[in-house]
Amino acid sequence: MLYLTAIETFYQQSQALFDVSFSLEKGEVVSLLGRNGMGKTTTIRSILGLTPPRNGQITFKGRKIQGLSSFQIARQGIGFVPEGRQIFPRLTVKENLLVVAVHRQSAERSWNLQRVFSLFPRLQERRDQPASSLSGGEQQMLAIGRALMTNPCLLILDEATEGLAPLIRQEIWDCLSMLKREALTILIVDKDLVALQKLVDRHVIIEKGRTVWQGSNKVFSADLGLARRYLGV
Ligand code: ATP
């Protein structure tokens, strides 16, 4: 579904990615791991066209996407839950969900308000409240619900559980497990290695802007030296 080959990305003159290469097959859940500042967010920004790569190739569903605008890339079927949520604070919960549905892909099993509300019942209770009045956890649920309303083939989450209370975090992980059971393809960055290991099929490790290791969750979990060496845990 998604192929990155030898991606190089810069912030002005400063090179952040030197050689990032990995792929995601349909229905796979893959984590991007690495210490702080190693290039995980930049990899996501490169895929989404927010910081377009200078070299390398990215294909999504068989089509080259680098060079397209981030709007065009999103419309190919990539849903994004950014770090810090970035919902529309003055719109109600319902409006936040409906506003993105205008530009969405058609899908076999379309997302609608009812499906999002059954995934996150708290959002239903607060459907007519401004998004700014929600708790941090509820805002995160709204950000995920909003990404789902675009009917994505690929969902990308960057630090979706960051700063949330443990119970709310667990709700987000449960929701991601449910989406995995529905065979949604997911690329995720998160600091909670234990939760990631319960969810993902494969890990990709980035160090200093390069993919340095990738393999199954089984192999990763069996080799404690990997986490020690690349993640310092
Ligand atoms: P973290 O877990 O801390 O978010 P990360 O792995 O996501 O880390 P990136 O945010 O992708 O790492 O950063 C990769 C490199 O690019 C770092 O050296 C960082 O300082 C640099 N960088 C990130 N954003 C910018 C920016 N807007 N301008 C210049 N350099 C940046």
Side-chain angles (χ1 to χ4, degrees), residues 149-165:
M149 284 293 279
T150 65
N151 282 338
C153 313
L154 167 65
L155 182 66
I156 301 182
L157 303 111
D158 192 0
E159 308 275 12
T161 66
E162 181 83 0
L164 301 180

Side-chain angles (χ1 to χ4, degrees), residues 11 14 16 35-43 83 159 191:
Y11 293 102
S14 159
R35 289 191 181 93
N36 287 350
M38 290 297 172
K40 304 177 297 294
T41 297
T42 308
T43 300
E83 204 174 349
E159 308 275 12
K191 290 198 175 69

Side-chain angles (χ1 to χ4, degrees), residues 72-135:
Q72 289 168 317
I73 292 171
R75 284 192 73 173
Q76 307 294 312
I78 302 183
F80 178 42
V81 182
E83 204 174 349
R85 295 149 212 158
Q86 294 169 23
I87 51 171
F88 304 115
R90 288 176 187 221
L91 298 186
T92 65
V93 166
K94 192 170 125 195
E95 287 164 346
N96 262 280
L97 293 170
L98 289 178
V99 78
V100 295
V102 180
H103 298 298
R104 66 193 191 168
Q105 295 274 302
S106 57
E108 273 168 40
R109 233 190 128 209
S110 239
W111 282 90
N112 53 31
L113 282 180
Q114 224 151 13
R115 273 189 80 197
V116 171
F117 288 154
S118 65
L119 189 63
F120 296 121
R122 288 153 180 270
L123 293 183
Q124 180 154 31
E125 289 162 26
R126 290 160 175 69
R127 55 188 287 159
D128 297 317
Q129 291 182 17
S132 57
S133 70
L134 301 181
S135 71

